[in-house]
Amino acid sequence: MVKKEISGKRDADLEALKELLPAQDILTFFFEDAAKRQYVCIFADALTDKDLLAEQALRPLSGYDGAPQAECIAQHVLSPEVRTQKNVKELAGEVLAGNPVLLWEGADAGLIVGTKKVAVRAVAEPPTDVAIKGPREGFIEDVKTNTSLVRRRLKTGELMIEMLTVGRRSATSVALCWLEGTCRKDIVEAIRSKLKKIDIDAVPDSSYLTRFLSDRPYSLVKQVGTTEKPDIFCAKLAEGRAGILVDGSPIALTLPYLLAEDFQSSEDYFVPAYRATFTRLLRLFALITAIYLPAFYVAAQLFKLQLLPVKLLLTIAGSIRDIPLSPSLEMLLVLLVLEVLNEASIRMPKYVGMALSVVGALVLGETAVSAGFVSTPAIIIVAFSGIGLYAVPNLIEETSVLRLAMLLAAGSVGTYGILLVSALCLVVIASTENFGVPVGAPFAPFVGRDLRDTFVKYNLLSLKERPETLRSPNKRRLK
C-alpha cells in the first residue's frame, strides 16, 4: 500500500514514489549538500530540462548547510516556480507533468521544481482560418503559450484564467477563461461544474469536451463554438462569453454558442461594413444552395418537372436520356464519390492528395460522363454543392449530413419531403439552447438589436452595446 504523505525518511519516500512510477524513463539522481544531507531527485527523462534543473536547483543546493525544512531549502532554489507538497500521489503527478521532485532525509514535504521542458511548434497562421487582413497568429498545442496570446490582447485584471485538470490518466490541463464583470457568473459556474464532473481516461483534444459541455450531446446542431485564432477568442470573451483552452489542442472552445457565429469571419471586422454584409450573405446563399440544390434537382426530375424552365428542362432531358440510374440514385452515387475523394485527399500525403484531387475531379468525372454512367448536370450540381459547403467551413460536418437527408427526402416524396426536413431542422434549432442561451438567437427568439452583427454587419460605431442575447452584466462596450 502506497503511503499518502511524506514521512521524512528518504529511502522510504523514494520507494513510495517509485511504486507509483515504475516506468524505466522515471530517473533518480542522488547528491548531498554541504551539511552531508542526502538528497534524491526524481524526474521524467524526456519531460525535464536537465540543464536547467542542475543550474537552478542541484548546484545551489550542493552548497546548502541550513535547516532541513522544505521552506528553508526552497529559498535556495533559483527557480521562480518552486512548490512544496506532502501528498505522495500529488508528487507523482508533478513528476509525470515534467516537474522534478526533491526528497531528502528529514524532509517534512517534497520540493517541486518547475523545470518542465515541452517541445512546441512556432505560433503561425492556422490553416483552417486564413485571413487576408487582420492578425495571422493562431493557437498552438501548448496551453501556456495560448494563455499568453490571450493575456497579451486583453491586458486587464478582469481577465480570469482558471486552470483545471481533466482526464484520469492524461491529467490534461484545461484553462477556463472569462472577463470578470462581463461574463455572467452562472455561465462560468455551470462550465466549471461540467468540467469537474467529466470522468474519462484521456482528453487528447478539445473536441472531447464538446459533448460533455452540450445540453444535447446527440443533437446534429452545434452547441459549442470553436476557433483557432486568439483575436476571435478575445473578441468573444469581450462580448460576454467564456472560453476554454485545452493543452495539446490548437482549437479553443467558446460558450455560449450562437449559430450565426459561423457565418462571421475575423476579416469582417477589418473591412467596410457593406463588404462584410455582402460576404456574409454570400456565405448564407452558398450554404443554402449547397444543401438544397441536389435535392431540388432530384425532386424536379421525379415529381415536378414544371419547376424547371423549358429550355433548361430540354437540356437536362437530353443529358439524362441514356443514363441507366434513377435521378436519386445517380445523385447519391456522385455525392458519395465526392465524399470519398474528399476523405482520400485529406488522408493522403500533401502532394499525392493534390494529384488525387485532379484525377478524381477531371479524369474520373469526364470518363463517367463520356461512358454514359452519370449525366453532366449531376456532376455540375455536386461540384457546386461541394464548393458551397466550404463557404462556411465550421459547419461542414453538420451540413454534409443535412444535404444527404434532404436528398433522401426529395427522392422519396419530392418537395414535400424537403419541406418536412426543413421544418424539422428549424424546430430543432429553435428549441436548442446551451447555458440558457438559445442557439438560434437572435432569430429564434427574435432579438432586434442583435441583428446588427449577424448576416448584416453594422458599422462599429453602431455596436455600442454587447449582444442582448448573452445578457452580460456589463452591457455597454462603446462610449
Side-chain angles (χ1 to χ4, degrees):
M1 183 177 179
V2 179
K3 295 187 303 181
K4 293 184 177 180
E5 291 192 353
I6 294 297
S7 65
K9 297 180 180 180
R10 189 199 65 176
D11 294 338
D13 295 335
L14 174 61
E15 184 180 350
L17 262 180
K18 291 298 288 184
E19 189 174 342
L20 292 173
L21 305 171
Q24 293 184 0
D25 64 330
I26 306 298
L27 306 181
T28 56
F29 176 74
F30 295 87
F31 69 101
E32 61 181 27
D33 59 14
K36 302 300 180 181
R37 188 181 295 112
Q38 298 292 325
Y39 292 80
V40 60
C41 178
I42 305 100
F43 60 95
D45 186 22
L47 298 179
T48 300
D49 190 332
K50 291 184 277 290
D51 294 334
L52 193 62
L53 172 63
E55 186 68 28
Q56 294 186 350
L58 305 185
R59 186 171 288 115
L61 288 179
S62 63
Y64 177 72
D65 60 355
Q69 280 75 25
E71 283 123 6
C72 300
I73 294 177
Q75 294 176 2
H76 285 75
V77 176
L78 302 179
S79 173
E81 188 179 347
V82 182
R83 303 186 304 279
T84 60
Q85 177 61 252
K86 294 184 178 181
N87 189 283
V88 175
K89 190 174 181 180
E90 293 292 333
L91 291 173
E94 291 291 341
V95 173
L96 293 174
N99 297 319
V101 169
L102 294 177
L103 300 174
W104 60 94
E105 195 67 33
D108 56 344
L111 195 67
I112 303 164
V113 185
T115 56
K116 181 192 303 183
K117 177 179 67 175
V118 181
V120 297
R121 63 182 175 93
V123 176
E125 185 175 17
T128 59
D129 198 352
V130 180
I132 299 175
K133 293 184 178 180
R136 288 176 170 79
E137 289 181 330
F139 288 126
I140 63 172
E141 288 75 13
D142 181 47
V143 69
K144 288 192 174 182
T145 303
N146 293 341
T147 54
S148 70
L149 293 174
V150 175
R151 181 71 69 180
R152 195 175 73 184
R153 283 170 171 79
L154 295 174
K155 302 181 182 70
T156 171
E158 296 176 351
L159 174 60
M160 301 295 171
I161 300 178
E162 181 179 343
M163 299 303 299
L164 303 170
T165 301
V166 182
R168 292 192 302 269
R169 290 181 170 85
S170 65
T172 305
S173 297
V174 176
L176 175 60
C177 311
W178 74 95
L179 284 175
E180 188 70 25
T182 301
C183 182
R184 285 163 37 200
K185 291 184 178 180
D186 61 311
I187 290 179
V188 177
E189 288 292 337
I191 295 175
R192 183 189 295 117
S193 176
K194 286 190 174 185
L195 289 175
K196 289 183 177 180
K197 289 180 181 177
I198 296 176
D199 187 11
I200 189 173
D201 279 344
V203 183
D205 186 76
S206 59
S207 60
Y208 278 61
L209 301 182
T210 56
R211 298 304 176 190
F212 295 99
L213 295 170
S214 302
D215 289 344
R216 294 183 179 180
Y218 300 103
S219 174
L220 186 63
V221 180
K222 274 181 63 176
Q223 296 165 61
V224 180
T226 58
T227 181
E228 286 193 60
K229 302 196 68 177
D231 55 309
I232 297 179
F233 186 80
C234 293
K236 293 186 184 299
L237 294 186
E239 285 188 341
R241 293 178 176 85
I244 297 174
L245 301 170
V246 179
D247 193 28
S249 174
I251 300 176
L253 309 179
T254 57
L255 294 158
Y257 163 78
L258 303 179
L259 187 60
E261 292 178 31
D262 286 331
F263 292 89
Q264 302 169 355
S265 169
S266 61
E267 196 173 338
D268 295 346
Y269 298 90
F270 300 98
V271 298
Y274 61 85
R275 174 62 187 176
T277 299
F278 173 75
T279 54
R280 290 181 182 181
L281 293 175
L282 188 64
R283 293 178 198 126
L284 179 62
F285 169 77
L287 189 66
I288 292 176
T289 305
I291 294 173
Y292 284 98
L293 186 59
F296 272 113
Y297 174 75
V298 170
Q301 287 193 65
L302 292 176
F303 300 99
K304 295 285 185 180
L305 291 176
Q306 59 268 34
L307 288 174
L308 302 175
V310 176
K311 291 185 178 180
L312 179 60
L313 180 61
L314 293 175
T315 302
I316 293 176
S319 305
I320 66 175
R321 182 176 52 192
D322 298 324
I323 302 300
L325 302 175
S326 65
S328 55
L329 186 59
E330 176 195 18
M331 187 63 65
L332 179 62
L333 178 64
V334 179
L335 277 177
L336 291 178
V337 170
L338 177 66
E339 293 292 342
V340 170
L341 285 173
N342 183 40
E343 279 296 309
S345 62
I346 293 174
R347 308 303 170 198
M348 295 291 287
K350 180 179 179 182
Y351 298 106
V352 179
M354 294 174 62
L356 180 67
S357 300
V358 174
V359 171
L362 298 180
V363 179
L364 183 61
E366 181 65 28
T367 305
V369 172
S370 301
F373 194 67
V374 295
S375 63
T376 304
I379 297 291
I380 295 173
I381 288 173
V382 169
F384 185 83
S385 177
I387 295 171
L389 288 186
Y390 281 90
V392 188
N394 287 334
L395 292 176
I396 288 177
E397 292 83 3
E398 293 81 5
T399 51
S400 60
V401 174
L402 183 57
R403 177 179 61 181
L404 184 60
M406 291 289 182
L407 178 61
L408 295 176
S412 302
V413 290
T415 52
Y416 296 108
I418 297 175
L419 292 176
L420 287 174
V421 175
S422 301
L424 178 62
C425 292
L426 292 176
V427 169
V428 172
I429 292 173
S431 61
T432 301
E433 64 177 33
N434 211 18
F435 299 100
V437 177
V439 172
F443 300 98
F446 183 79
V447 183
R449 196 184 71 190
D450 289 356
L451 295 177
R452 299 177 182 181
D453 193 16
T454 51
F455 299 121
V456 177
K457 170 71 168 58
Y458 276 48
N459 189 283
L460 179 62
L461 298 178
S462 301
L463 303 175
K464 296 182 179 180
E465 296 179 339
R466 291 182 174 83
E468 187 176 342
T469 305
L470 300 177
R471 304 196 301 275
S472 171
N474 183 9
K475 296 184 178 181
R476 182 167 291 274
R477 61 179 170 186
L478 176 65
K479 294 183 180 180

